[in-house]
Amino acid sequence: MQEYQLTLKDKRIVWGKAIDIESLIGRYPSDSFRQGMNEALDWNLPAGIYRAKEVVMELDKMLEAILVQLGEPVNGDPTVLLDSLQANLAISGRLSSLPLGPLALEDKAGAEITAQAQRIGEQLLSWAREMNSEKEELDKYGTETLGKLEFRSRCYGHSLTPEAVAQVWGPIGGPRIMQIYNEYLHQFVLLRDALLPFANWEEVPFEVEEHAGFKGLRFLEPAREIFLTQLLGKKLTHKSIVQYAQSVVSSGLSDTGYGFQYRLGTVLPAGLGESARTAARYLLKWHPVQTIAAHEAQDPSAVSFDYEYEDYYAAPRNEAGAGKPGNKETLPVSGEHYDEPSIAQLLPNADTGRSILRFSLEMEGREFTVDLGQLFRGHRFLYRPYGNDNADAADAKRGSLSRHLAADILSHSGLVTNTDGIHFIPTGGNELVVWALLGKLYPENVVLLDKGDKEELEAAYVSGKGFGTQFLVL
């Protein structure tokens, strides 16, 4: 069994059984052109496993058919139609299908999704321009076949630029071409929105089944409507993002945790394998790995990963203890480097009927484990010294600062907190130790530092809620 691994600088995270996805992509039992009404041809995505780029390739067939049917002088120049697609995929402007820009979403989840929508839209458009310029579909099918494409697009009616309206509805256009172009736009919008939860969206494989009642990616419309309602209503949560992602990849799951496994891989919060200081907090990442083996789950093809503590507020807590006294003006760093641990493992918890994963590492000859779900929860709730989510409050009246070894904190059972004071935990820059601490500390007033200099400390002391005990991790 080849173990899957992530590399984080000079550290590694290993788990599960790696999956070969490449052999499954792009193998379809039929063509996207098929017999329609009378002599006309219809279009639909063939059943199969896709990634984003493969979908764009299939959509290019519709665009090329439109150009052929428009004839001279348009058939060699898709610029106007692609510019109208660009306006629909933009996150601002009158024609935007998802106008997140003007809404200025300031919550963390909304801000991440907004940036994601812009990135994905720009790349999809770039692929669309590149693929059509190569004219592979024209060479493959010829003008006679492309000229037969005709179907009814039951669409929301995407707005067009004036130039596109002139082409599509002009003397050489009409309702037939408008139907195809409407579907072309709508499928791109569905594709962009389907991939919003995934940081590595270009790599995510998802399954498409052919349905008589709708075309292509339209099976995603109900889940998409719920997701966008939450996004635009500023009620988007990590759980709702996971729930939507499960629908996109056709996992078949009804339960929702912090991540999941489906037959084409594992989806976890995007921070895993990244620096906790800069990683996205709400986006997800797909991994080509079977995390739960067949003998460890009733249905290994679809598994929802549960938090050990569904409600962290009710989780058992232990106090960090007194530690060694320090000075609030300068952090008592003793030059720890923590070359070890260099490897962390994700381990399924076999002692429970629920699918719980543990983040395990060895330090100072001892093994420490934390709940992986709590680790991600701690990351979502942490504070940064100069973050815009910090309390607008003066320096809280906390006692003197004390210093703790990371191993001492990790050795406690339950979650670690304290009644008062400032508690400093150096990690020597070891990202694995940082992540483990985020899974062990009670997720309130935990501040992750960059340098620990005087200026950063002054900002850190007024970070968080502005009251209660505080943990500083460096």
Side-chain angles (χ1 to χ4, degrees), residues 110-143:
E112 289 186 11
I113 293 293
T114 299
Q116 182 81 337
Q118 183 168 350
R119 283 193 297 268
I120 298 174
E122 289 173 353
Q123 183 60 63
L124 293 181
L125 180 72
S126 175
W127 284 339
R129 293 187 189 278
E130 176 188 348
M131 289 179 189
N132 193 260
S133 70
E134 295 171 354
K135 297 300 176 185
E136 290 186 2
E137 307 308 328
L138 180 61
D139 294 339
K140 178 178 179 180
Y141 293 100
T143 57

Side-chain angles (χ1 to χ4, degrees), residues 290-342:
Q290 184 184 50
T291 298
I292 305 292
H295 66 277
E296 295 175 331
Q298 293 180 344
D299 182 6
S301 64
V303 179
S304 177
F305 299 129
D306 297 326
Y307 294 95
E308 180 179 13
Y309 309 118
E310 184 175 352
D311 180 5
Y312 69 91
Y313 186 79
R317 307 182 208 177
N318 281 287
E319 292 205 357
K324 293 184 177 180
N327 188 332
K328 285 181 64 178
E329 297 299 319
T330 57
L331 290 180
V333 179
S334 299
E336 294 93 337
H337 292 293
Y338 285 103
D339 292 332
E340 299 295 334
S342 60

Side-chain angles (χ1 to χ4, degrees), residues 27 29 58 97 113 119 128 136 143 173 201 209 216 218 228 233 301 308 326 338 372 376 379 396 404-405 426 432 474:
R27 296 189 175 186
E58 297 298 326
S97 59
I113 293 293
R119 283 193 297 268
E136 290 186 2
T143 57
W201 62 272
E209 297 180 0
R218 286 179 175 268
L228 294 187
S301 64
E308 180 179 13
Y338 285 103
L372 186 65
F376 292 128
H379 182 240
H404 302 262
L405 295 177
L432 299 181
L474 175 61

Side-chain angles (χ1 to χ4, degrees), residues 211-244:
H211 300 269
F214 49 79
K215 294 181 179 296
L217 301 178
R218 286 179 175 268
F219 70 94
L220 297 170
E221 287 177 339
R224 170 182 177 266
E225 183 176 352
I226 294 172
F227 178 74
L228 294 187
T229 298
Q230 294 168 328
L231 171 62
L232 298 175
K234 298 188 178 182
K235 296 182 179 180
L236 197 61
T237 63
H238 173 70
K239 184 175 182 179
S240 62
I241 294 174
V242 175
Q243 198 167 34
Y244 180 50

Side-chain angles (χ1 to χ4, degrees), residues 275 277-278 384-386 448-453 456 473-474:
S275 169
R277 292 171 172 83
T278 57
R384 301 284 279 134
Y386 302 104
L448 184 55
L449 305 175
D450 287 319
K451 298 176 291 185
D453 58 19
E456 187 179 49
V473 179
L474 175 61

